[in-house]
Structures are given as structure tokens and as C-alpha cells.
Amino acid sequence: NNPTTAIIAITAIPAIPAITAIPATPKTKTMQDNDNTAKPLLDPTAKIYVAGHRGLVGSAIWHNLIQRGYTNLVGRTHSQLDLLDPIAVRTFFDQEQPDAVVLAAAHVGGILANSTYPADFIYQNLQIQQNVIGEAWRHGVRRLVFLGSTCIYPREAPQPMDEDALLTSPLEFTNEPYAIAKIAGLKLCESLNRQYGTDYVAVMPTNLYGPGDNFHLDNGHVLPVMMRKMHLARMLRQGDYAALRHDLTRLPVKEFDPALSDAEIDTILHRYGIYADRLELWGTGTPLREFLWSRDMADATVYVMLHVSYKDLAAERRAADKPLRNMHINVGTGIEISIARLAEKIRRCVGFEGAIIFDHRHPDGTMRKLCDVSRLHRLGWRHTVELDDGIDRLYRWYTDPANDPANR
């Protein structure tokens, strides 16, 4: 890039696709419409272990199960059960003997975290999957749903990406270790089904956001981090250093101390591209992304656990005269938006009046990632929360004092 044009400000949004969807997508249904009337594959008395039940999706899955009448749930915090420890995981399965498992636990993060800690991402996720899925099989668990990610698809995959795009060309380099781990997880489920007759299904969610999300500036997810940065920039613009100190105490960043002077706080925020008159974001703003409300993802996961079996997916493949592979399920909205347009939506929600600037010297990651969710639609599930509504809900959640750790 020419150094004189390395940073551009959005004064007029570039003429790039704003929001696109898979053509002829029928009207979104409500959560009640997603409820299949067929007898569930699990009895309400079944003991279900939710691995990662305190996380963004795991906590939503837990509450969704309870709402559906499944109350025999088992969860463990990291301090109670280290999923990286194979002996501890085996002992847990020996003691609890669950009937079904939802594997929502994972080591996750954004571009910066993936680039900085690649070994952590591949090692920890492989270990978690090997331990939990392996012990589920060894203990005769009847049903398992494994949560992966759409980063498993090639960087240049045809758009929208259907399940058969898997392993057809190279992955995006910035998150390749994480993607390889998730591919291994879904292939482990697929292989156990083929060899041992298990009923383990893998779901691949698009980018998720929602209550309990990761807002940490160093390793958080793109939408909540962008939201928090604009929140901090708005307070900086207003000169509200009391509110800034409270926010940075709630979710600390490196070298922050509440006793720092206002000027020292400015210096810390500037390192994250946060200024009173502007917000600097990585990349060009042109990549297109798809976002799914976390509680919609939870509903899809529980729907699949209760109503979709490996036999159903195998029958669909045989009917299409296709090999018994790539039987995972994409979960998303089928709608995409550019990062620049997303920034504008969040800006309006937060009320930040400064400029938005994109720094071209930093990577964009994959330029486009849109799920083909036709398999999921055929199975009977559709999303319920649209992006504008979700952004408003998430900002209300983040700014609600009831969700401040200091008030819990």
C-alpha cells in the first residue's frame, strides 16, 4: 500500500454491497415455529452435559434446554473440571454417565488473538475435543452435538459456502490452526458415526454475538469489541473520565490502573485506536461478514440435538447420491454485511459522533464468509433475531449495571 493512503476515513461509505442475502429466502420464522412437532430424540429426563455452560453459547443452550423442560443438566466450570486434562475428563464421565453431550467449550478469539497465540488455539481445541468426544464415545453417550465454526471453509470458497466446500482449497492463514482443530472435531464425530454407529452431529455457526460476549480489547470478538471501542470513544469525546475508569476497571487492559491520570488513560486508549475525535479500526472495512444472535444459535443447537439424527443426514446424502461425508450443518442467517456498514450501525446505536477510520496496514482476514444455510432450513430451523435488533439488545446488555461484574 502507498503509505500516504494507508489510513482512510469513512466520510462517505464506499459503494460496496451493504447487506446481501441468499436469494429467495423465505420469511424468518419465530422460535415457536422452529419447534418440531415430532417426538424429540431425547426424553426430558435425559441427563445432558453442557461443556462450556458459562460461555456465550453454552449459557444460552443451558437456558434454552430448561425452557424446553430439560432440567437434568450437568455443567462444570473450568476450576471444577479442566477439559485439557484427560484423566479429569474421564473421571467426570465415570461419575456422571450423561445420556447426551453438547460440546460448546472451546478456546476462541479474534484475528489478533489467533495471530498471536496460534499454538494455543490448535493445541487446546484439539485436546478439549479429543477428551470430551472420546470419553463420550467410550462411555456410550447416545447423542452429542459438537459446535465448530465456519472458519473451517477455504479462504476462497464459493459464496455462499455450503457444507461440501470443506477441504476443497487452502484455509485463511490468520486462523488456520483454529480451523484445523475444528475440522478434526467434526471429522472425529463423522468417523465415530461411520465406524461405531454413534449419533454425533456437528454444527458450524457463523460469527456469533450476544449477552455474555467477549468485549476484551485484546482478544475479543469483532462486533462486541467494535461496540466497546465506540462506547469508550464516546465517553472520551464527552470527557467522562469517571465512566472511562469504571469501564476499564470492569474489563481491564494492559497497564491500566484507576489511579492513572487522564492523559495516561488517553495514551492507553490511543494504542487501541480510540480517540475523542475518531475510532481507528483494522483493515479496509470491505470484508463481508454474517452475524448470528447467540440465543438463536443456542436454539438451533438444541433443535438439532432433539430433532436431527445422523441417520437423517446420511439419508439425505444417499438420496442425492453423495458420499457419507461433510454431514455437518451450517448455522447462520444467510445474510451478510460489510465491516464498514456494521461499524456505521454500531456507531448509530452507541451514539459516537467521531470519524471511523480504517487502517489498511492491518489484515482484513477472509474477504467474504457467508453460510449456505439451506440444509438447516430443510431440517426445519430458521433464525429469529435480525442484526439491527441484536445490536440494540447487546448494547443495552453491556451498559446495564446489572451485568457489571461488580454488581453481581
Side-chain angles (χ1 to χ4, degrees):
N1 290 338
N2 184 330
T4 62
T5 60
I7 299 179
I8 59 169
I10 302 180
T11 50
I13 299 292
I16 55 179
I19 302 176
T20 56
I22 297 175
T25 298
K27 184 179 182 295
T28 297
K29 294 186 178 183
T30 65
M31 188 175 292
Q32 288 73 27
D33 291 328
N34 285 324
D35 287 332
N36 194 314
T37 56
K39 182 180 179 181
L41 297 173
L42 286 175
D43 187 85
T45 62
K47 178 184 281 191
I48 303 173
Y49 168 45
V50 182
H53 76 294
R54 292 282 186 87
L56 172 65
V57 182
S59 60
I61 289 171
W62 184 280
H63 292 297
N64 189 286
L65 284 165
I66 289 175
Q67 289 173 352
R68 291 173 180 262
Y70 291 82
T71 57
N72 191 7
L73 307 181
V74 180
R76 294 290 186 274
T77 64
H78 177 70
S79 62
Q80 294 170 327
L81 176 61
D82 181 0
L83 296 179
L84 298 176
D85 183 342
I87 296 174
V89 175
R90 176 164 294 189
T91 300
F92 166 80
F93 274 86
D94 287 343
Q95 295 172 346
E96 293 295 339
Q97 297 289 326
D99 299 306
V101 171
V102 179
L103 180 45
H107 183 66
V108 298
I111 292 177
L112 178 60
N114 273 270
S115 299
T116 308
Y117 310 108
D120 292 351
F121 277 87
I122 190 167
Y123 167 75
Q124 293 191 27
N125 284 297
L126 284 173
Q127 192 78 348
I128 290 169
Q129 295 161 193
Q130 163 68 15
N131 290 340
V132 175
I133 299 173
E135 292 305 328
W137 165 63
R138 279 186 280 270
H139 286 79
V141 169
R142 291 183 289 145
R143 294 279 293 154
L144 181 144
V145 177
F146 166 64
L147 276 68
S149 166
T150 52
C151 74
I152 64 171
Y153 294 116
R155 176 183 174 87
E156 304 298 335
Q159 302 291 318
M161 306 174 296
D162 69 17
E163 289 83 357
D164 281 322
L166 183 65
L167 297 176
T168 55
S169 60
L171 299 165
E172 163 59 38
F173 178 73
T174 55
N175 58 19
E176 184 180 69
Y178 177 73
I180 289 173
K182 287 300 181 180
I183 292 170
L186 78 87
K187 287 300 180 182
L188 177 56
C189 292
E190 202 171 87
S191 299
L192 288 169
N193 291 338
R194 290 171 57 193
Q195 186 172 344
Y196 294 107
T198 53
D199 197 357
Y200 296 173
V201 179
V203 292
M204 299 295 126
T206 188
N207 300 289
L208 302 176
Y209 70 106
D213 214 331
N214 185 353
F215 287 82
H216 286 278
L217 299 183
D218 291 305
N219 60 9
H221 300 145
V222 58
L223 192 156
V225 168
M226 191 184 296
M227 179 175 286
R228 186 183 179 202
K229 285 182 175 181
M230 289 198 193
H231 178 70
L232 291 168
R234 180 174 65 82
M235 291 187 292
L236 188 60
R237 188 176 181 86
Q238 295 171 344
D240 191 348
Y241 283 89
L244 284 167
R245 284 185 173 84
H246 178 79
D247 185 277
L248 293 170
T249 300
R250 172 188 180 186
L251 292 173
V253 297
K254 294 176 182 177
E255 301 179 15
F256 171 74
D257 187 298
L260 293 175
S261 68
D262 292 355
E264 288 170 324
I265 290 177
D266 288 350
T267 299
I268 289 176
L269 293 176
H270 294 171
R271 290 206 302 266
Y272 293 96
I274 301 168
Y275 297 83
D277 63 342
R278 67 190 187 278
L279 176 65
E280 296 177 0
L281 301 172
W282 279 26
T284 64
T286 57
L288 297 166
R289 290 291 182 270
E290 177 183 14
F291 294 94
L292 179 67
W293 184 242
S294 60
R295 291 176 179 173
D296 268 354
M297 177 59 201
D299 191 62
T301 301
V302 175
Y303 179 90
V304 167
M305 170 164 274
L306 299 181
H307 299 293
V308 180
S309 71
Y310 171 75
K311 291 181 180 179
D312 296 329
L313 300 171
E316 181 185 66
R317 298 292 287 182
R318 291 191 182 98
D321 197 25
K322 292 183 178 181
L324 297 183
R325 57 180 304 203
N326 300 338
M327 288 185 287
H328 54 282
I329 304 168
N330 288 342
V331 182
T333 64
I335 303 169
E336 62 187 353
I337 182 172
S338 73
I339 295 298
R341 299 285 184 180
L342 175 67
E344 284 299 318
K345 285 181 178 290
I346 296 174
R347 184 227 293 270
R348 287 195 294 270
C349 174
V350 172
F352 175 57
E353 297 178 350
I356 300 175
I357 295 174
F358 282 91
D359 186 343
H360 294 197
R361 295 169 297 182
H362 292 288
D364 274 323
T366 304
M367 292 306 295
R368 193 179 180 206
K369 283 178 61 179
L370 177 64
C371 284
D372 182 333
V373 289
S374 55
R375 174 177 288 175
L376 182 62
H377 287 180
R378 289 194 301 272
L379 292 168
W381 189 93
R382 297 175 186 273
H383 75 283
T384 64
V385 177
E386 302 300 342
L387 185 59
D388 285 339
D389 185 23
I391 289 173
D392 288 343
R393 291 189 195 187
L394 184 60
Y395 190 56
R396 288 197 302 271
W397 180 89
Y398 183 73
T399 56
D400 185 345
N403 298 317
D404 189 325
N407 298 329
R408 293 177 188 172

